[in-house]
């Protein structure tokens, strides 16, 4: 399913396993922008993403420009919450839009929410990094702060 936001940007739901080469430069830019442990190199495990897709728990939403070039993505992993039987949640694994294409983030997140809502997903969780805090957009969309996540490198 694809929907036009304007004449320049289109949103779609897809799995880009055949075009990882197209996604990789965006993943690298994303990593460079937000990763706090810069000494860890980006090394995506595409086989895991493929297995998640085959298990029907991966959702990949994309933003493409007027030439159909990938300019953004939002990836979710959907699961049942074991603490609340029957409640499904989508945990955002990655959200990125190329710097030169930013400005439609609120529309993109709202569209992703609509796609997940149509599936019957009960809750959506976004992980927001201090390096790129887009929580004001989330609050405008009705999101509430639920948890603070802390990380510590052990090895």
């Amino acid at each position: 399913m694809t929907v036009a936001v304007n004449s320049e940007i289109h949103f779609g739901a897809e799995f880009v396993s055949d075009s990882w080469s197209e996604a990789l430069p965006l993943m690298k830019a994303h990593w460079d922008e937000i990763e706090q442990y810069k000494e860890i190199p980006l090394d995506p495990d595409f086989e895991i993403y493929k297995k998640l897709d085959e298990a029907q728990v991966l959702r990949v939403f994309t933003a493409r420009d007027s030439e159909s070039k990938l300019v953004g993505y939002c990836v979710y992993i959907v699961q049942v919450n074991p603490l609340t039987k029957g409640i499904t949640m989508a945990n955002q694994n990655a959200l990125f839009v190329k710097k030169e294409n930013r400005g439609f983030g609120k529309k993109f997140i709202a569209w992703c929410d609509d796609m997940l809502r149509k599936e019957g997903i009960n809750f959506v969780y976004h992980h927001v990094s201090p390096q790129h805090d887009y929580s004001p957009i989330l609050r405008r969309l009705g999101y509430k702060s639920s948890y603070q996540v802390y990380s510590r490198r052990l090895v």
Side-chain angles (χ1 to χ4, degrees), residues 75-149:
V75 179
Y76 296 92
I77 297 172
V78 174
Q79 66 187 65
V80 174
N81 186 338
L83 294 173
T84 52
K85 194 184 315 181
I87 300 296
T88 56
M89 56 189 180
N91 290 296
Q92 175 256 7
N93 176 255
L95 169 64
F96 183 72
V97 175
K98 290 172 66 173
K99 283 185 180 183
E100 60 269 23
N101 296 99
R102 291 185 182 161
F104 59 83
K106 182 180 175 190
K107 287 181 181 177
F108 188 37
I109 294 169
W111 183 81
C112 292
D113 284 355
D114 287 343
M115 297 299 292
L116 294 166
R117 184 181 297 108
K118 287 176 183 175
E119 279 190 57
I121 306 297
N122 301 103
F123 289 93
V124 178
Y125 293 92
H126 279 263
H127 300 89
V128 179
S129 75
Q131 293 83 352
H132 188 260
D133 183 358
Y134 62 94
S135 60
I137 292 171
L138 293 173
R139 282 192 294 278
R140 285 194 299 274
L141 287 168
Y143 282 80
K144 296 177 183 168
S145 178
S146 299
Y147 301 95
Q148 287 187 1
V149 177

Side-chain angles (χ1 to χ4, degrees), residues 13-100:
E14 59 186 277
F15 186 67
V16 290
S17 62
D18 295 330
S19 57
W20 286 120
S21 59
E22 181 184 22
L24 201 53
L26 270 71
M27 294 171 88
K28 175 75 170 115
H30 185 191
W31 187 262
D32 290 345
E33 185 174 330
I34 67 161
E35 181 53 43
Q36 67 181 359
Y37 301 109
K38 299 289 186 194
E39 69 277 10
I40 299 173
L42 175 67
D43 187 16
D45 190 333
F46 297 122
E47 278 303 308
I48 288 179
Y49 281 114
K50 184 178 179 181
K51 287 177 183 176
L52 290 168
D53 186 50
E54 289 168 356
Q56 300 181 355
V57 298
L58 187 70
R59 304 297 182 275
V60 178
F61 301 116
T62 59
R64 294 184 176 276
D65 67 14
S66 59
E67 298 173 0
S68 296
K69 291 184 180 168
L70 186 66
V71 297
Y73 53 77
C74 193
V75 179
Y76 296 92
I77 297 172
V78 174
Q79 66 187 65
V80 174
N81 186 338
L83 294 173
T84 52
K85 194 184 315 181
I87 300 296
T88 56
M89 56 189 180
N91 290 296
Q92 175 256 7
N93 176 255
L95 169 64
F96 183 72
V97 175
K98 290 172 66 173
K99 283 185 180 183
E100 60 269 23

